[in-house]
Structure formats: C-alpha cells, structure tokens
Amino acid sequence: MNTHFEFWDYFIFIAYAILILGVGLWVSRDKEGHQKNAEDYFLASKSLPWWAIGASLIAANISAEQFIGMSGSGFALGLAIASYEWMAAVTLIIVGKYFLPIFIEKGLYTIPEFVEKRYSTNLKTILAVFWIGLYVFVNLASVMYLGSLALETIMGIPMIYGVIGLALFAAAYSLYGGLSAVAWTDVIQVVFLVLGGLVTSYIALNTVSNGEGVIEGLKTVYNATPERFAMIFEESDEYYNMLPGIGVLVGGLWVANLYYWGFNQYIIQRTLAAKSLRESQKGILLAAFLKLIIPLIVVIPGIAAYVMVNDPEIMSRLGDSVQNNLPSLGQADKAYPWLLQFLPTGLKGVAFAALAAAIVSSLASMLNSTSTIFTMDIYKQYINPNASDKATVGVGRLSAAVALVIAGIMAPLLGGIDQAFQFIQEYTGIVSPGILAVFLLGLFWKKTTNKAAIIGALASIPIALYFKVAPNGWSTSPFFVDVPFMDQMGYTCLLTMGIIALVSYSQHHGVDDEKGIPLKKELFKTSPLFNIGSFAVLLIVAALYAMFWN
C-alpha cells in the first residue's frame, strides 16, 4: 500500500491539469474577425448542447463540499445525507418542467434580471448584493478551504499555498474564456469526477472486505453499522437536528433544493446558455440521472471509512502507516482525503484529479456567475449603462479576480469548522428561504406586488436569524423556538410568503399586466423523452427510500 504520491500519480495529475488548461484556453479563443461579446462570455454564445449542460450542472454542483464535506457527513451520520442528492434529482425535474420555460422565454442573463422584469430594479439590486455576498464569503471561501484541506491532508501542502494554487488554476482559463471555457472543460471534469469517485468507493469497500470485493464490502459495512443506513431519523437520534425525520421529505429540504437548482445563478446559468428549451430540459434530465449515483461515490466511502477507523482488526491489518490524520466524529471531513492513501500508484493520481476537478470546476462556475451578476446587474445598471462589449467582458474578468482574492483571504479563516457541507447549508439557509418565497410568488401568483416582495425579502433575514440565534442564548424568551435548521428554513419560507401575501393584499391591487408572468399552458409542454425520464427518476428515488427506510 502506498501512502505517498509516486511518479505515475504526479504524471496523471499533471496531465489532467494540462488537458483542462489546454481545452479551456482553446475553446476561449476569439474566432477570426469576431470579438467576444457579453453573450459569448456570460452565456457561451447560447450554443451548449444537452450533454454539455448536464455534465456542467453536475461539475458545478459536485465540489469539495460533496467529495469532502458530504463524505464527512457520511462518516458522521450515514446515508441519510444522501437525501440532498436524491431529492435534488426530483427537484431538477420540477425546475425543467416549470421554471426553465419562463426563464428561457424571458431571454435572461441572470436570475436577478428576472426579478427586475417581474418586480423592480430596486429588488433586483437587493438580491444581487445578497447573492454576491453569499457566493464570495460562503461558497467560494468554503470550496477553497476544503480544497486546500485536501491538499494539506494528502500531500502536506500548507493551506495558504493550496488556496493560492487552486485559485490560480481556476482563474487561468475561466477568467479569460467565461462560461464557454467553464462548460466545455466541465465535460472532461465530470469524467474524472465520476471515474475517480468510483475508484475510491471500490478500493474503500474492497479494503473493508479484505479483498473480497465491493458486494462483500457493502455487506460488511452494513452489518457493522446498520444505523448509518437509515434514511429517516427519529427525534431521539443524535443527528435529528441536521435531518429532522419526515421533515426531510416534506419540509425545509425542498426550500434548499428549489432555491439551489431553480434560482441559483451558478447552476441555472448553464441552462440559460442552451441552444433551445428542449436541449436545456434534456440536460436537466441527464443531471437528474447522474444525481442518483452521486451518493455511491461520495457518501458510501465516508461510511466505509467510519467502519475502518472503528474496527481494531481492520486497522491492525492495515498497519501503522495509516494512523496519521485519522478522521473522527470531531474531524469527519478528513474521511475522504484519508481514504485516498489506500489507492495504488496511478489510481491515486486519478482519484486526486477527480477531487481537483470537483474543486476547480465549482470555483470556475462560481467565479463566472459572480462576475455575471456584478457586471450585468450592478456595473451596467449603475456605473456604465452604455458599456461596450469589450468593457463589459473586461469588467467581468476583473470582478471575478477581485472575488477570488477576497474568498482566498477568507478561506483559511474557516479552519475551525467541521462537516463543512452542513456549514454551507446552514448559512445559505439564512438567505435562501426569503429568495425562494419572492420567486415562487412572483412566478405563480400574479397579484404579488413589488413593495410586498421587498418587505418580504428584507424581513426574511431577521426571521431566519431569530430561529438560528434563539437556541444560543434566548432560551428565556417567551417566543423561543428550538427547531432543526432544516425546519427553520421551511418556517422562514412560509412566514416570508405570508408577509408578502398580506402586504400585497393590503395594497388592494396587483402588479401591472406587463409585470405579470403569463402561465400559458403551452409554455410547459415537454417532450415524451422528458416525461418518460422524469417518471423513471421519480420511480428510482421512491425505490431507494423504500429500500433504506428503517
């Protein structure tokens, strides 16, 4: 067993890096006689085929927070964390059926642009600032932290150098080429991501079974810790506050998923760059199928690592060389990096390339979307409305670079967190319920007014903070309510929708006709392929829950 990188590991990883940079720069080049404009840079010239959209959606989604953070959650609490992935598959079907037709019909560049078309410029600006802050201080910073943690754990690279290296790698092609470079390299990234993840899962399960194969490994893991295969927690369970029982299926997880897949710029931007609505929907369908297998490559290895660490016989068999950087319930995010040392020479390079692909693709996606929102919704709105295409693209590159620097400064400060996947969900959950409420009522209730949406969006933050802060010191308050954070998201969304509805009614009139969203029946027609695929996804998700409902 090798515990360090050897020549072929370095060779494979360097070859991967050269391939990504080469493809990224090649697709970024300007065509002869054509200067890159805003549509080229931010929406890949609206030319992406369905398979590139599906691959790019997964590459943007699966990052260090899944490979490392979700494996850590698998180590700590088990398969139940896969609810995020399997419920996401269902959510993608809803997004493809009901949200995408409206977004594409409106010809959007950014999600805040929809807010302007539906409500007002003021609300668009408020939400644009929300998103930029969230992307820079939570998403970008946490992905850079987790990526550098992996480099430090696996290769001994100090965190600060890991942060700088990842930042430069992502910036090398994404800042220059925009969404086109990001999306096309994502197709390659997904191949590494899935292949490397499957290899790691295979080695982990094979190691647990002492070389008797994956099936025997799964049986060993299940028999050793059956409680970690429960999908629905009871209120008495230790991790009920993270995944509150049946509330996972009917409560706040819908808020997290609908916000993330339907109204999150760095996700939805790929679908807006499609050749057509049908291509976009087929891409969504591909992503939904891929989400079904993600737990196999990110959660199962974490559970296997838990069994290995807590089985003296297995640890004795593995020897003294694996005793360093052991994951624990207090440091669960070390599980995936720790597992990589069990891979043989060559495959270790493939798995590490997969991890790097997940990190870099997400960084590039977040950078591109942050710059898109700043450029199109802030710069062109308030600073230079008549900016040329050259100036617009230049500001997009500059704003992405600034966001990268700020996130790089923030990343090392996250060193004290554990289960980073949960950290990201909880802090995103402060903002997402209010945004979701604004969008859902804006899309499906024509009488929602601009004033009500602004009041609701602003009120959602103190509501969310109350639910989050109250258990930490307000227990004497007569209004104290101690609920799991996922339920907090659900309650915040419902209360915000109630506020928006009350204010809208109090104004005694709806919005102007041109601001309403025409819910034409023909707008939501889909191809037979999408309908059949959607039914298959729903059936598989139902079967998975039935299998592990214990």
Side-chain angles (χ1 to χ4, degrees):
M1 181 182 64
N2 299 316
T3 56
H4 301 287
F5 265 37
E6 297 185 10
F7 170 77
W8 286 110
D9 299 310
Y10 285 112
F11 178 83
I12 291 171
F13 181 73
I14 292 171
Y16 148 76
I18 292 173
L19 176 64
I20 294 300
L21 289 174
V23 171
L25 293 174
W26 185 76
V27 300
S28 302
R29 72 196 191 287
D30 290 332
K31 296 177 182 178
E32 188 174 347
H34 176 74
Q35 180 179 304
K36 196 178 267 88
N37 57 35
E39 185 176 280
D40 296 329
Y41 189 79
F42 297 117
L43 290 183
S45 307
K46 290 192 175 181
S47 61
L48 295 183
W50 65 271
W51 47 271
I53 292 169
S56 191
L57 282 169
I58 296 301
N61 167 241
I62 302 300
S63 179
E65 66 194 71
Q66 267 79 15
F67 261 109
I68 299 176
M70 193 171 276
S71 288
S73 293
F75 182 96
L77 59 92
L79 189 64
I81 198 68
S83 290
Y84 281 96
E85 304 304 297
W86 292 338
M87 295 292 281
V90 179
T91 307
L92 279 163
I93 302 303
I94 295 172
V95 170
K97 174 72 175 178
Y98 296 107
F99 298 169
L100 273 188
I102 295 172
F103 293 160
I104 290 179
E105 185 193 48
K106 296 293 180 183
L108 304 182
Y109 275 80
T110 69
I111 290 298
E113 189 180 349
F114 167 80
V115 177
E116 183 175 42
K117 291 178 181 290
R118 175 59 177 86
Y119 293 112
S120 68
T121 300
N122 288 338
L123 183 56
K124 178 191 80 168
T125 304
I126 291 170
L127 295 186
V129 172
F130 274 4
W131 265 306
I132 291 172
L134 186 66
Y135 289 163
V136 173
F137 293 103
V138 176
N139 294 100
L140 278 169
S142 60
V143 169
M144 293 176 77
Y145 161 70
L146 287 171
S148 59
L149 174 65
L151 293 174
E152 186 175 56
T153 304
I154 298 166
M155 302 180 70
I157 297 174
M159 181 164 289
I160 186 63
Y161 295 121
V163 168
I164 293 171
L166 290 171
L168 292 177
F169 190 9
Y173 67 92
S174 65
L175 263 62
Y176 177 69
L179 184 61
S180 181
V182 173
W184 289 110
T185 54
D186 278 351
V187 176
I188 302 171
Q189 308 269 37
V190 161
V191 174
F192 277 96
L193 188 155
V194 174
L195 178 62
L198 289 175
V199 164
T200 305
S201 294
Y202 171 80
I203 296 296
L205 293 171
N206 193 55
T207 301
V208 167
S209 67
N210 197 19
E212 295 185 16
V214 170
I215 301 301
E216 194 60 36
L218 278 171
K219 291 178 182 177
T220 302
V221 169
Y222 182 81
N223 290 331
T225 178
E227 71 279 2
R228 273 176 165 68
F229 285 83
M231 290 301 299
I232 302 297
F233 290 148
E234 300 292 337
E235 195 166 354
S236 58
D237 287 324
E238 181 181 0
Y239 295 105
Y240 178 82
N241 280 342
M242 292 184 180
L243 294 167
I246 200 69
V248 169
L249 300 181
V250 297
L253 189 54
W254 283 106
V255 176
N257 271 315
L258 284 171
Y259 161 77
Y260 182 88
W261 293 103
F263 308 112
N264 185 349
Q265 178 68 27
Y266 78 81
I267 291 297
I268 210 71
Q269 190 165 340
R270 281 122 182 82
T271 63
L272 301 179
K275 292 179 178 180
S276 66
L277 174 59
R278 291 294 174 88
E279 288 289 297
S280 184
Q281 288 177 326
K282 286 192 288 185
I284 284 274
L285 194 58
L286 172 61
F289 275 105
L290 289 175
K291 290 299 284 182
L292 296 176
I293 67 170
I294 293 302
L296 181 62
I297 65 177
V298 295
V299 181
I300 295 298
I303 302 175
Y306 176 82
V307 172
M308 293 163 70
V309 167
N310 288 280
D311 189 321
E313 182 182 341
I314 293 177
M315 293 302 291
S316 174
R317 188 173 73 232
L318 295 175
D320 295 335
S321 58
V322 303
Q323 301 300 322
N324 296 325
N325 289 312
L326 282 176
S328 64
L329 291 180
Q331 294 182 309
D333 284 340
K334 288 186 175 182
Y336 196 87
W338 180 75
L339 282 173
L340 293 187
Q341 66 183 307
F342 296 100
L343 299 177
T345 298
L347 288 181
K348 193 181 298 181
V350 172
F352 191 62
L355 182 58
I359 296 164
V360 172
S361 61
S362 290
L363 281 177
S365 299
M366 293 171 188
L367 284 174
N368 183 257
S369 294
T370 302
S371 70
T372 303
I373 291 177
F374 177 81
T375 304
M376 304 304 292
D377 298 321
I378 304 295
Y379 176 75
K380 289 203 73 172
Q381 182 72 49
Y382 297 104
I383 301 173
N384 188 2
N386 300 315
S388 64
D389 282 328
K390 183 177 181 180
T392 300
V393 173
V395 169
R397 289 169 177 159
L398 179 61
S399 58
V402 171
L404 193 59
V405 170
I406 295 172
I409 294 170
M410 287 291 301
L413 303 180
L414 301 180
I417 66 172
D418 180 50
Q419 291 196 54
F421 182 78
Q422 290 297 127
F423 165 82
I424 294 167
Q425 300 307 317
E426 290 193 31
Y427 281 89
T428 301
I430 294 174
V431 176
S432 57
I435 294 175
L436 180 64
V438 168
F439 273 93
L440 288 181
L441 289 177
L443 279 169
F444 301 113
W445 191 43
K446 192 173 180 179
K447 291 185 177 181
T448 307
T449 64
N450 174 58
K451 179 180 177 181
I454 292 176
I455 291 173
L458 295 176
S460 69
I461 302 298
I463 293 172
L465 287 174
Y466 172 76
F467 281 122
K468 185 165 185 62
V469 174
N472 299 321
W474 293 1
S475 57
T476 58
S477 166
F479 303 105
F480 167 71
V481 180
D482 187 6
V483 294
F485 94 92
M486 198 172 286
D487 289 344
Q488 294 172 19
M489 293 172 65
Y491 295 154
T492 301
C493 185
L494 290 174
L495 288 170
T496 303
M497 292 177 77
I499 290 171
I500 294 173
L502 285 173
V503 175
S504 295
Y505 271 121
S506 72
Q507 291 186 269
H508 301 296
H509 59 80
V511 294
D512 296 335
D513 287 340
E514 65 270 16
K515 290 286 186 179
I517 302 299
L519 299 180
K520 303 172 184 175
K521 186 175 180 181
E522 61 270 18
L523 198 61
F524 303 111
K525 288 182 178 178
T526 51
S527 66
L529 174 64
F530 184 84
N531 293 329
I532 294 170
S534 299
F535 179 75
V537 167
L538 295 173
L539 197 61
I540 293 170
V541 170
L544 288 168
Y545 272 97
M547 187 184 306
F548 296 109
W549 192 302
N550 53 2

